Amino acid sequence: DVKVTQSSRYLVKRTGEKVFLECVQDMDHENMFWYRQDPGLGLRLIYFSYDVKMKEKGDIPEGYSVSREKKERFSLILESASTNQTSMYLCASSLGRGNIQYFGAGTRLSVL
Amino acid sequence: EDKVVQSPLSLVVHEGDTVTLNCSYEVTNFRSLLWYKQEKKAPTFLFMLTSSGIEKKSGRLSSILDKKELFSILNITATQTGDSAIYLCAVESRGSTLGRLYFGRGTQLTVWP
């Protein structure tokens, strides 16, 4: 079974802090994705990556950056957390086009 | 502008009822449509549909795609409380970068005992 692991289920941070959300997949998938999920808005794509050190902006990249130094690990970085970044963050991975995306359990981030 | 629209956004039923969830889409060069179920954790994959008129079935859940009318339905028969979840519909376009999916806002299904 595909396993996508997000390092934290819950995080509480202060405004202005730098925040790292980590995601690891164990299936040698090429593509990895970061989404945020807010009530009534569904899943919105922040960034995705198709290879080590390669990344593409999604629909809402402002205020976020990403890092993919190893194929299995994809990190989402909030350089200076703000209250409007309080949300559920979901990581996913897939083999590529035409393939299923598998999701991690999510990190619920609260920025106070 | 939403590419994927789900309806209803919320639905409350009693155990034993049958429900139909709808997903309409507007993407160029359609490749596939996926359904996921999300309880209080990771969305889990249910179905991937690529061809019109071919029903996919898993237990009490089934889904079908109409590529001419650009929609899909997800049916759940004899609902149980364990079916309570958000059901997500997503579409991939052949023209989309690297297999990215466009998600609808989801349907929140609540099944009362």
Side-chain angles (χ1 to χ4, degrees):
Chain A
D1 278 353
V2 175
K3 191 165 184 182
V4 180
T5 303
Q6 294 185 230
S7 54
S8 305
R9 288 300 305 277
Y10 302 95
L11 272 180
V12 180
K13 296 292 181 181
R14 297 282 179 191
T15 301
E17 280 192 76
K18 190 168 186 175
V19 181
F20 293 86
L21 303 184
E22 306 286 343
C23 176
V24 177
Q25 50 94 2
D26 67 355
M27 284 302 291
D28 202 34
H29 282 173
E30 302 294 328
N31 294 354
M32 297 187 75
F33 305 82
W34 275 108
Y35 297 89
R36 65 177 281 176
Q37 185 177 30
D38 300 288
L41 296 180
L43 270 69
R44 293 181 291 166
L45 182 64
I46 305 171
Y47 267 99
F48 56 111
S49 168
Y50 52 95
D51 201 352
V52 175
K53 297 190 188 296
M54 307 304 287
K55 61 187 179 185
E56 291 278 343
K57 292 180 180 179
D59 299 322
I60 51 165
E62 297 79 18
Y64 303 94
S65 62
V66 289
S67 172
R68 194 165 180 201
E69 297 295 320
K70 293 185 177 181
K71 190 174 185 180
E72 67 270 19
R73 185 181 297 271
F74 191 36
S75 302
L76 180 69
I77 303 156
L78 287 66
E79 295 289 342
S80 178
S82 63
T83 55
N84 62 13
Q85 292 178 310
T86 291
S87 187
M88 169 70 87
Y89 290 88
L90 289 164
C91 175
S93 72
S94 76
L95 273 172
R97 287 196 178 100
N99 288 278
I100 299 162
Q101 284 188 22
Y102 294 92
F103 285 84
T107 296
R108 188 167 293 282
L109 173 67
S110 296
V111 182
L112 306 178
Chain B
E1 184 180 338
D2 285 356
K3 293 177 184 288
V4 181
V5 178
Q6 292 186 244
S7 64
L9 293 179
S10 178
L11 187 57
V12 180
V13 300
H14 285 96
E15 271 193 319
D17 288 350
T18 292
V19 298
T20 299
L21 309 183
N22 303 291
C23 178
S24 63
Y25 62 90
E26 185 178 336
V27 296
T28 54
N29 294 319
F30 171 89
R31 178 190 292 273
S32 62
L33 184 146
L34 293 85
W35 285 98
Y36 288 87
K37 176 184 181 182
Q38 184 182 21
E39 296 170 90
K40 293 189 187 298
K41 43 188 168 72
T44 54
F45 170 76
L46 294 175
F47 300 111
M48 176 186 276
L49 303 156
T50 57
S51 301
S52 271
I54 299 175
E55 185 182 54
K56 294 272 182 107
K57 198 169 170 64
S58 176
R60 295 176 295 101
L61 278 66
S62 64
S63 184
I64 198 161
L65 174 68
D66 186 328
K67 288 167 73 173
K68 183 179 177 184
E69 300 297 331
L70 308 183
F71 78 92
S72 173
I73 59 172
L74 176 68
N75 279 321
I76 309 175
T77 59
T79 51
Q80 302 172 356
T81 55
D83 295 325
S84 295
I86 299 173
Y87 290 84
L88 298 166
C89 174
V91 172
E92 182 184 355
S93 164
R94 290 184 187 277
S96 70
T97 309
L98 305 166
R100 67 158 292 174
L101 297 176
Y102 295 92
F103 280 87
R105 299 182 182 210
T107 294
Q108 173 74 63
L109 174 65
T110 303
V111 182
W112 290 102

mmCIF file of all heavy atoms in Angstrom, chain B residues 7-32:
data_model
loop_
_atom_site.group_PDB
_atom_site.id
_atom_site.type_symbol
_atom_site.label_atom_id
_atom_site.label_comp_id
_atom_site.label_asym_id
_atom_site.label_seq_id
_atom_site.Cartn_x
_atom_site.Cartn_y
_atom_site.Cartn_z
ATOM 1 N N SER B 7 -22.644 18.921 -6.426
ATOM 2 C CA SER B 7 -23.924 19.230 -5.783
ATOM 3 C C SER B 7 -24.555 17.945 -5.263
ATOM 4 O O SER B 7 -24.311 16.861 -5.820
ATOM 5 C CB SER B 7 -24.865 19.912 -6.782
ATOM 6 O OG SER B 7 -25.183 19.032 -7.855
ATOM 7 N N PRO B 8 -25.319 18.038 -4.188
ATOM 8 C CA PRO B 8 -25.413 19.216 -3.340
ATOM 9 C C PRO B 8 -24.127 19.407 -2.528
ATOM 10 O O PRO B 8 -23.292 18.524 -2.494
ATOM 11 C CB PRO B 8 -26.590 18.862 -2.426
ATOM 12 C CG PRO B 8 -26.516 17.369 -2.293
ATOM 13 C CD PRO B 8 -26.049 16.885 -3.634
ATOM 14 N N LEU B 9 -23.997 20.545 -1.886
ATOM 15 C CA LEU B 9 -22.823 20.764 -1.043
ATOM 16 C C LEU B 9 -22.979 20.041 0.284
ATOM 17 O O LEU B 9 -21.982 19.678 0.922
ATOM 18 C CB LEU B 9 -22.593 22.252 -0.814
ATOM 19 C CG LEU B 9 -22.198 23.042 -2.059
ATOM 20 C CD1 LEU B 9 -22.014 24.514 -1.711
ATOM 21 C CD2 LEU B 9 -20.914 22.484 -2.681
ATOM 22 N N SER B 10 -24.217 19.821 0.675
ATOM 23 C CA SER B 10 -24.480 19.163 1.945
ATOM 24 C C SER B 10 -25.748 18.336 1.823
ATOM 25 O O SER B 10 -26.686 18.743 1.130
ATOM 26 C CB SER B 10 -24.633 20.224 3.043
ATOM 27 O OG SER B 10 -24.924 19.631 4.281
ATOM 28 N N LEU B 11 -25.737 17.190 2.491
ATOM 29 C CA LEU B 11 -26.874 16.272 2.374
ATOM 30 C C LEU B 11 -27.004 15.499 3.675
ATOM 31 O O LEU B 11 -26.004 14.964 4.192
ATOM 32 C CB LEU B 11 -26.599 15.317 1.214
ATOM 33 C CG LEU B 11 -27.665 14.351 0.744
ATOM 34 C CD1 LEU B 11 -28.925 15.089 0.348
ATOM 35 C CD2 LEU B 11 -27.131 13.529 -0.422
ATOM 36 N N VAL B 12 -28.216 15.434 4.203
ATOM 37 C CA VAL B 12 -28.485 14.674 5.423
ATOM 38 C C VAL B 12 -29.542 13.634 5.110
ATOM 39 O O VAL B 12 -30.606 13.965 4.573
ATOM 40 C CB VAL B 12 -28.965 15.593 6.567
ATOM 41 C CG1 VAL B 12 -29.249 14.772 7.824
ATOM 42 C CG2 VAL B 12 -27.936 16.672 6.860
ATOM 43 N N VAL B 13 -29.233 12.380 5.405
ATOM 44 C CA VAL B 13 -30.164 11.287 5.124
ATOM 45 C C VAL B 13 -30.213 10.356 6.325
ATOM 46 O O VAL B 13 -29.435 10.511 7.284
ATOM 47 C CB VAL B 13 -29.747 10.494 3.865
ATOM 48 C CG1 VAL B 13 -29.719 11.418 2.639
ATOM 49 C CG2 VAL B 13 -28.408 9.808 4.051
ATOM 50 N N HIS B 14 -31.128 9.398 6.287
ATOM 51 C CA HIS B 14 -31.202 8.379 7.326
ATOM 52 C C HIS B 14 -30.649 7.060 6.803
ATOM 53 O O HIS B 14 -30.648 6.811 5.585
ATOM 54 C CB HIS B 14 -32.639 8.191 7.801
ATOM 55 C CG HIS B 14 -33.110 9.307 8.677
ATOM 56 N ND1 HIS B 14 -33.828 10.382 8.198
ATOM 57 C CD2 HIS B 14 -32.951 9.536 10.001
ATOM 58 C CE1 HIS B 14 -34.088 11.203 9.180
ATOM 59 N NE2 HIS B 14 -33.567 10.724 10.294
ATOM 60 N N GLU B 15 -30.188 6.276 7.714
ATOM 61 C CA GLU B 15 -29.656 4.954 7.342
ATOM 62 C C GLU B 15 -30.659 4.222 6.466
ATOM 63 O O GLU B 15 -31.861 4.227 6.748
ATOM 64 C CB GLU B 15 -29.391 4.120 8.587
ATOM 65 C CG GLU B 15 -28.012 4.294 9.163
ATOM 66 C CD GLU B 15 -27.657 3.237 10.201
ATOM 67 O OE1 GLU B 15 -28.528 2.897 11.021
ATOM 68 O OE2 GLU B 15 -26.520 2.764 10.182
ATOM 69 N N GLY B 16 -30.123 3.580 5.448
ATOM 70 C CA GLY B 16 -30.972 2.826 4.538
ATOM 71 C C GLY B 16 -31.367 3.591 3.295
ATOM 72 O O GLY B 16 -31.770 2.981 2.291
ATOM 73 N N ASP B 17 -31.255 4.926 3.342
ATOM 74 C CA ASP B 17 -31.594 5.717 2.160
ATOM 75 C C ASP B 17 -30.560 5.488 1.061
ATOM 76 O O ASP B 17 -29.418 5.077 1.320
ATOM 77 C CB ASP B 17 -31.621 7.211 2.512
ATOM 78 C CG ASP B 17 -32.813 7.586 3.362
ATOM 79 O OD1 ASP B 17 -33.721 6.740 3.530
ATOM 80 O OD2 ASP B 17 -32.831 8.726 3.868
ATOM 81 N N THR B 18 -30.958 5.818 -0.151
ATOM 82 C CA THR B 18 -30.033 5.828 -1.293
ATOM 83 C C THR B 18 -29.752 7.284 -1.659
ATOM 84 O O THR B 18 -30.664 8.107 -1.684
ATOM 85 C CB THR B 18 -30.648 5.097 -2.500
ATOM 86 O OG1 THR B 18 -30.754 3.708 -2.186
ATOM 87 C CG2 THR B 18 -29.778 5.265 -3.745
ATOM 88 N N VAL B 19 -28.495 7.583 -1.908
ATOM 89 C CA VAL B 19 -28.123 8.957 -2.250
ATOM 90 C C VAL B 19 -27.397 9.001 -3.590
ATOM 91 O O VAL B 19 -26.738 8.033 -3.983
ATOM 92 C CB VAL B 19 -27.235 9.609 -1.169
ATOM 93 C CG1 VAL B 19 -27.963 9.694 0.148
ATOM 94 C CG2 VAL B 19 -25.913 8.886 -1.037
ATOM 95 N N THR B 20 -27.549 10.140 -4.258
ATOM 96 C CA THR B 20 -26.840 10.390 -5.511
ATOM 97 C C THR B 20 -26.112 11.717 -5.389
ATOM 98 O O THR B 20 -26.725 12.747 -5.123
ATOM 99 C CB THR B 20 -27.816 10.444 -6.697
ATOM 100 O OG1 THR B 20 -28.477 9.183 -6.819
ATOM 101 C CG2 THR B 20 -27.069 10.749 -7.993
ATOM 102 N N LEU B 21 -24.811 11.657 -5.577
ATOM 103 C CA LEU B 21 -23.985 12.857 -5.542
ATOM 104 C C LEU B 21 -23.570 13.196 -6.965
ATOM 105 O O LEU B 21 -23.256 12.306 -7.757
ATOM 106 C CB LEU B 21 -22.737 12.616 -4.674
ATOM 107 C CG LEU B 21 -22.979 12.033 -3.279
ATOM 108 C CD1 LEU B 21 -21.663 11.922 -2.515
ATOM 109 C CD2 LEU B 21 -23.989 12.839 -2.509
ATOM 110 N N ASN B 22 -23.564 14.492 -7.253
ATOM 111 C CA ASN B 22 -23.326 14.937 -8.611
ATOM 112 C C ASN B 22 -22.014 15.696 -8.746
ATOM 113 O O ASN B 22 -21.600 16.414 -7.831
ATOM 114 C CB ASN B 22 -24.455 15.866 -9.055
ATOM 115 C CG ASN B 22 -25.803 15.208 -8.945
ATOM 116 O OD1 ASN B 22 -26.122 14.286 -9.698
ATOM 117 N ND2 ASN B 22 -26.608 15.649 -7.992
ATOM 118 N N CYS B 23 -21.416 15.550 -9.904
ATOM 119 C CA CYS B 23 -20.185 16.267 -10.205
ATOM 120 C C CYS B 23 -20.200 16.652 -11.685
ATOM 121 O O CYS B 23 -20.235 15.772 -12.546
ATOM 122 C CB CYS B 23 -18.976 15.390 -9.905
ATOM 123 S SG CYS B 23 -17.392 16.165 -10.314
ATOM 124 N N SER B 24 -20.201 17.941 -11.955
ATOM 125 C CA SER B 24 -20.100 18.392 -13.352
ATOM 126 C C SER B 24 -18.761 19.092 -13.531
ATOM 127 O O SER B 24 -18.203 19.633 -12.579
ATOM 128 C CB SER B 24 -21.255 19.325 -13.712
ATOM 129 O OG SER B 24 -21.203 20.490 -12.928
ATOM 130 N N TYR B 25 -18.253 19.068 -14.733
ATOM 131 C CA TYR B 25 -16.913 19.614 -14.941
ATOM 132 C C TYR B 25 -16.823 20.330 -16.281
ATOM 133 O O TYR B 25 -17.642 20.115 -17.178
ATOM 134 C CB TYR B 25 -15.863 18.509 -14.857
ATOM 135 C CG TYR B 25 -16.011 17.431 -15.910
ATOM 136 C CD1 TYR B 25 -15.386 17.530 -17.145
ATOM 137 C CD2 TYR B 25 -16.788 16.301 -15.654
ATOM 138 C CE1 TYR B 25 -15.531 16.547 -18.108
ATOM 139 C CE2 TYR B 25 -16.935 15.313 -16.608
ATOM 140 C CZ TYR B 25 -16.310 15.435 -17.828
ATOM 141 O OH TYR B 25 -16.462 14.458 -18.778
ATOM 142 N N GLU B 26 -15.815 21.152 -16.354
ATOM 143 C CA GLU B 26 -15.566 21.879 -17.590
ATOM 144 C C GLU B 26 -14.059 22.000 -17.742
ATOM 145 O O GLU B 26 -13.447 22.921 -17.191
ATOM 146 C CB GLU B 26 -16.226 23.255 -17.537
ATOM 147 C CG GLU B 26 -16.110 24.024 -18.838
ATOM 148 C CD GLU B 26 -16.808 25.367 -18.776
ATOM 149 O OE1 GLU B 26 -17.728 25.523 -17.941
ATOM 150 O OE2 GLU B 26 -16.432 26.258 -19.528
ATOM 151 N N VAL B 27 -13.457 21.064 -18.406
ATOM 152 C CA VAL B 27 -12.030 21.107 -18.680
ATOM 153 C C VAL B 27 -11.826 20.734 -20.141
ATOM 154 O O VAL B 27 -12.603 19.979 -20.715
ATOM 155 C CB VAL B 27 -11.218 20.147 -17.776
ATOM 156 C CG1 VAL B 27 -11.308 20.550 -16.333
ATOM 157 C CG2 VAL B 27 -11.634 18.708 -17.981
ATOM 158 N N THR B 28 -10.765 21.245 -20.702
ATOM 159 C CA THR B 28 -10.430 20.868 -22.067
ATOM 160 C C THR B 28 -9.611 19.587 -22.045
ATOM 161 O O THR B 28 -8.860 19.331 -21.102
ATOM 162 C CB THR B 28 -9.624 21.979 -22.756
ATOM 163 O OG1 THR B 28 -8.481 22.286 -21.943
ATOM 164 C CG2 THR B 28 -10.457 23.227 -22.916
ATOM 165 N N ASN B 29 -9.785 18.776 -23.052
ATOM 166 C CA ASN B 29 -9.006 17.538 -23.176
ATOM 167 C C ASN B 29 -9.078 16.685 -21.915
ATOM 168 O O ASN B 29 -8.061 16.329 -21.327
ATOM 169 C CB ASN B 29 -7.546 17.849 -23.496
ATOM 170 C CG ASN B 29 -7.401 18.482 -24.843
ATOM 171 O OD1 ASN B 29 -8.049 18.078 -25.802
ATOM 172 N ND2 ASN B 29 -6.570 19.502 -24.931
ATOM 173 N N PHE B 30 -10.284 16.324 -21.571
ATOM 174 C CA PHE B 30 -10.526 15.513 -20.376
ATOM 175 C C PHE B 30 -9.696 14.230 -20.435
ATOM 176 O O PHE B 30 -9.612 13.554 -21.456
ATOM 177 C CB PHE B 30 -12.015 15.179 -20.314
ATOM 178 C CG PHE B 30 -12.395 14.176 -19.272
ATOM 179 C CD1 PHE B 30 -12.707 14.597 -17.990
ATOM 180 C CD2 PHE B 30 -12.450 12.821 -19.572
ATOM 181 C CE1 PHE B 30 -13.071 13.674 -17.018
ATOM 182 C CE2 PHE B 30 -12.810 11.898 -18.607
ATOM 183 C CZ PHE B 30 -13.130 12.325 -17.333
ATOM 184 N N ARG B 31 -9.120 13.882 -19.273
ATOM 185 C CA ARG B 31 -8.408 12.605 -19.160
ATOM 186 C C ARG B 31 -9.153 11.659 -18.230
ATOM 187 O O ARG B 31 -9.423 10.521 -18.582
ATOM 188 C CB ARG B 31 -6.985 12.806 -18.642
ATOM 189 C CG ARG B 31 -6.218 11.487 -18.472
ATOM 190 C CD ARG B 31 -4.911 11.683 -17.742
ATOM 191 N NE ARG B 31 -3.946 12.448 -18.506
ATOM 192 C CZ ARG B 31 -3.094 11.908 -19.382
ATOM 193 N NH1 ARG B 31 -3.075 10.600 -19.575
ATOM 194 N NH2 ARG B 31 -2.248 12.668 -20.030
ATOM 195 N N SER B 32 -9.465 12.127 -17.015
ATOM 196 C CA SER B 32 -10.091 11.220 -16.045
ATOM 197 C C SER B 32 -10.821 12.026 -14.981
ATOM 198 O O SER B 32 -10.552 13.214 -14.779
ATOM 199 C CB SER B 32 -9.037 10.334 -15.384
ATOM 200 O OG SER B 32 -8.105 11.110 -14.658
#
